[in-house]
Amino acid sequence: MALVLETAQLLSRTIRINASNGVTGSALLSSNSGSVLKPRKIANLFKLKGEQEEGGILQNIWNAAATLVGWIGGLVKGITFSATAVFQWVIGRIEQLKSFDWNASDDAYKQLMESQNTRIASIWGGVVGKGLGWLAGIAIGAGVGYLCPVLGGATLAKTISTAVGVEALEEFLPAFRNALVQTAGEFANRGLLVGYMNYRNLLKRAPRPLLEAIYGAEQADFIQNTWGNKGGPNMSFNSQMDELVESIQNDALQAFVEELLDESWDSFTEAGFVIAHELDTALQQYRAGKQNENGTPRTAYLKPDKEADEVLTFTSVPQKLLQTSVQETLNSHRLIHNRDVGAIVGQPASNLGRALPQLRQLVVVFRDRPRPPWRHTNGDRCREASYTIPDVKLGLTWRDIKEVSEAYMWGKYRATAHLDNRRQMAVYGATPEDAKLKLRALLRLSTSEVLSLSITEEEDRPQKLKKTPTKMYPVYFTLLARRNTIDGQGRTTLDNTTLDETVRRIEMWGENPPAGMQPLL
C-alpha cells in the first residue's frame, strides 16, 4: 500500500491556518480535529504559554509602553513644514486683527480673557478625558486578555494593548497637539492684550501738555476722555469699514462696494490656499525625489578600530550618502592608522622641528596683594598671573630673580616672544609698553634669544574674566632643574634620555631671601 501524506496533520499547515485566523498562544498548535501529536520544537519561532508567563503582566505593560513611545517618536519626527498651515495661521491673525475693538473698555477685555481661560480649560479637559478613557480601555483589554490563558494569555494581552495603543495615538496626539497650539495662541493673545491695556492706561495718565505736544489737542481729548470708556463706539476695522460702506447714499453703489469688498477678500483667501497647496505639493515631490535619488535615510554605528572604544554614529543619512561616508571614514582610518604626521606628508617625523626637553625652567607668580593673606578684605581670592621662563641660566641668585620681578601693571595687552629654542613666552600688561618691558626683563634670566615679538589686545571676553589694569606684586617662584641620572630612575624624554627632577618653591614677597635658603641649583 502506498504512503499517503495527510496535509491536515502537517504542523506547518496548522500553524499557518491558525495564525491567519488570528489565533494566538498555544492554540496555534491545535487543529480542528484536536492537538497535533508530538509537535516539533519551535521555541525560537513562537513564544508559547510557558515563556509568555515568565515575564508577567508588568513586562507586557512595559512592552506596550515602549511601543507607544516608538509611535510617538515617529509621529513627532514626521512633523514637517506646511505652507497651507502657515497661510491659514496668517489669515486667522488678520481676521482676528480686523475684528478687534480698539475702543473696548478694560472690563470687556478682562471678560474676553476670562472666556479664553474657560476655552483653554475646556480644551485640556477634553484632552485629559480622551487620554484617561483610552488608558482605561487599554488596561481593561490587557487585563481581560491576560486573565484568559485559554484565549491567548500574555500574547493576547500584548496584542490588545498594542492595537488599542495605536488607535489611541491616532486619536490622542492630534488633540494634544491642537491643545498645545491653541494654548500657546491664547497666551500670546493675552500678552498682547495686557500690553495694549497697559499702554492705553499709561497714555490716559500722561500729563496733558505732553499728550498735546505729541498727538494734538483733539487727540489728547479723545485719549483722556473717550478712549476705552464703557459704551463707547466700536472701533474695529470691520466696524469702521461697515460704517464707511453704509455711509454711501446711492443704494446701487453701496451694494456694489459691499459685494466688491467681500468677494475680493474671499477670492484672495481662496487663491492663497491654492498657492499654498501647490507649494506643499511641489515640496513633497522634491523631498520624494531626493529620497529616491539618495535612498532611504539610515542610521549606522561604525567602529573603525576594534581595539578602541570610540564609535562613530551616522544619524538619518540617506543610504547612498551613508555608503560614501562610511567608505571615506574607513579609508581615512586605514591611511592614518599606526602612522605619524611625518609619514603622511611624505617626510620623516624626526626632521620635523620640535623643542628639546627643558633642563631648567623658572615659573614666577604675581598676585595683586604685596604680602599675605592672599585674600582681599571682602573674602575674594587674589588675582594671579604666572609666567614660565624656559632654559634659565645657571648660577642665578634670589636677588637676580627679585630684581627682574618687580611689581608692574597687569592688563589686557599680551606680549608674545618666539625664542630660538622653539618655544614661546607671553606676558600680560596694562599697556603695550608694560607688557613688552616686563617680558624683556624676565627673559634676561633665560639663555634663549628673542626671534620675534608681537603685541596683541584682548577684546571679546566675559565681564568676569576681563583683564582690567591691576598692580601685581611678585609672590614666589618655582625652579625646575633636571639632571642626567646614573641609576636609571627618573623621567624619560622622547630621545630616550632619563633625567632626575628637582623642584623648589621659594617665597619672594619679602625684601630679603627666606631664612636658611639653600643656593639655587
Side-chain angles (χ1 to χ4, degrees):
M1 179 178 181
L3 181 64
V4 178
L5 182 63
E6 295 289 342
T7 58
Q9 292 296 320
L10 290 177
L11 181 59
S12 59
R13 181 64 59 87
T14 301
I15 293 175
R16 185 158 53 248
I17 294 175
N18 290 336
S20 63
N21 292 327
V23 179
T24 58
S26 58
L28 283 170
L29 302 178
S30 300
S31 64
N32 294 332
S33 58
S35 299
V36 179
L37 299 179
K38 296 182 181 181
R40 291 171 290 176
K41 296 181 179 180
I42 54 174
N44 293 331
L45 300 177
F46 297 93
K47 291 184 177 179
L48 301 182
K49 179 179 177 181
E51 289 185 341
Q52 295 166 359
E53 295 179 351
E54 183 178 355
I57 190 170
L58 293 179
Q59 182 66 33
N60 296 329
I61 295 175
W62 174 261
N63 293 336
T67 304
L68 295 180
V69 171
W71 274 91
I72 292 174
L75 291 175
V76 172
K77 186 177 179 181
I79 298 176
T80 56
F81 170 80
S82 172
T84 303
V86 173
F87 184 74
Q88 184 177 4
W89 181 87
V90 172
I91 293 298
R93 301 292 76 76
I94 294 176
E95 292 289 350
Q96 185 179 8
L97 187 64
K98 288 168 56 181
S99 61
F100 180 75
D101 184 6
W102 300 91
N103 194 37
S105 63
D106 289 353
D107 293 337
Y109 290 150
K110 291 178 181 178
Q111 292 178 1
L112 177 61
M113 288 189 287
E114 289 296 331
S115 65
Q116 290 176 350
N117 293 339
T118 304
R119 186 160 53 250
I120 292 175
S122 175
I123 292 172
W124 282 106
V127 172
V128 174
K130 189 184 293 290
L132 292 177
W134 279 107
L135 287 177
I138 292 174
I140 294 175
V144 171
Y146 185 81
L147 296 177
C148 297
V150 177
L151 300 178
T155 299
L156 179 60
K158 181 179 179 181
T159 302
I160 292 175
S161 300
T162 303
V164 179
V166 171
E167 292 291 335
L169 287 178
E170 293 180 356
E171 293 287 337
F172 178 78
L173 285 183
F176 181 75
R177 183 164 53 246
N178 181 59
L180 287 178
V181 171
Q182 293 197 32
T183 303
E186 295 293 352
F187 276 109
N189 292 337
R190 168 172 296 194
L192 294 175
L193 192 57
V194 171
Y196 175 69
M197 293 169 57
N198 293 335
Y199 171 73
R200 185 170 66 181
N201 293 331
L202 177 64
L203 290 182
K204 294 177 75 68
R205 294 193 301 267
R208 176 70 181 215
L210 178 61
L211 290 178
E212 291 183 355
I214 298 176
Y215 299 103
E218 184 179 353
Q219 291 296 329
D221 288 336
F222 172 78
I223 291 174
Q224 291 190 330
N225 301 324
T226 305
W227 195 16
N229 293 341
K230 289 185 178 180
N234 190 329
M235 296 187 64
S236 65
F237 292 110
N238 286 341
S239 176
Q240 296 299 312
M241 183 61 66
D242 291 341
E243 291 181 3
L244 181 62
V245 173
E246 292 175 357
S247 65
I248 300 176
Q249 299 300 324
N250 189 306
D251 293 341
L253 181 59
Q254 179 182 350
F256 174 81
V257 173
E258 183 176 359
E259 290 299 323
L260 170 68
L261 294 176
D262 291 342
E263 292 300 328
S264 61
W265 175 249
D266 292 342
S267 300
F268 172 78
T269 304
E270 293 178 5
F273 277 113
V274 173
I275 294 173
H277 176 71
E278 292 299 324
L279 291 176
D280 287 338
T281 303
L283 182 60
Q284 292 176 0
Q285 292 175 352
Y286 172 77
R287 288 173 177 169
K290 293 295 291 185
Q291 181 172 347
N292 294 333
E293 177 183 352
N294 296 322
T296 305
R298 305 283 187 183
T299 298
Y301 301 93
L302 179 62
K303 188 175 183 181
D305 191 349
K306 63 181 181 180
E307 298 179 356
D309 296 332
E310 182 181 7
V311 177
L312 304 178
T313 303
F314 300 88
T315 305
S316 298
V317 181
Q319 185 167 346
K320 290 185 178 179
L321 301 180
L322 177 62
Q323 294 173 353
T324 304
S325 300
V326 171
Q327 291 173 357
E328 291 177 351
T329 302
L330 293 177
N331 292 335
S332 300
H333 179 264
R334 294 189 187 102
L335 177 63
I336 65 176
H337 179 64
N338 259 352
R339 299 181 184 178
D340 52 32
V341 177
I344 295 175
V345 301
Q347 61 180 355
S350 59
N351 293 342
L352 299 176
R354 65 162 67 102
L356 298 176
Q358 293 191 73
L359 299 180
R360 295 174 61 79
Q361 175 183 284
L362 183 68
V363 180
V364 182
V365 178
F366 294 82
R367 288 177 181 161
D368 61 350
R369 282 183 60 89
R371 59 185 64 252
W374 305 120
R375 286 188 179 273
H376 295 288
T377 55
N378 60 359
D380 293 341
R381 298 180 61 182
C382 295
R383 284 181 177 269
E384 181 175 298
S386 60
Y387 303 122
T388 301
I389 307 172
D391 298 334
V392 293
K393 299 176 182 178
L394 291 170
L396 293 177
T397 64
W398 186 90
R399 295 288 180 187
D400 296 332
I401 302 174
K402 178 72 174 180
E403 181 181 357
V404 302
S405 303
E406 297 176 346
Y408 81 108
M409 292 299 294
W410 172 85
K412 63 179 180 179
Y413 291 94
R414 172 188 170 108
T416 305
H418 294 264
L419 309 177
D420 59 357
N421 62 356
R422 297 172 181 170
R423 297 187 184 277
Q424 296 182 9
M425 181 178 174
V427 173
Y428 287 91
T431 64
E433 192 67 17
D434 290 337
K436 181 175 66 174
L437 292 178
K438 179 54 65 176
L439 175 62
R440 291 194 179 278
L442 294 176
L443 279 176
R444 292 207 299 266
L445 304 178
S446 176
T447 60
S448 303
E449 296 294 332
V450 177
L451 297 180
S452 64
L453 190 149
S454 60
I455 298 178
T456 57
E457 179 183 0
E458 186 177 270
E459 294 183 356
D460 296 334
R461 199 169 179 85
Q463 184 64 32
K464 293 183 178 180
L465 300 180
K466 284 188 175 180
K467 296 179 175 62
T468 57
T470 307
K471 188 69 172 291
M472 304 292 279
Y473 303 88
V475 177
Y476 66 89
F477 64 85
T478 302
L479 178 64
L480 168 66
R482 294 190 179 104
R483 294 179 176 178
N484 290 328
T485 181
I486 58 176
D487 57 0
Q489 301 295 324
R491 185 189 184 103
T492 302
T493 62
L494 294 176
D495 58 357
N496 203 27
T497 302
T498 303
L499 303 174
D500 189 16
E501 279 189 3
T502 301
V503 180
R504 294 182 60 187
R505 168 174 166 161
I506 308 296
E507 300 295 329
M508 198 171 45
W509 53 269
E511 296 298 329
N512 298 307
M517 173 183 168
Q518 299 295 327
L520 300 177
L521 298 176

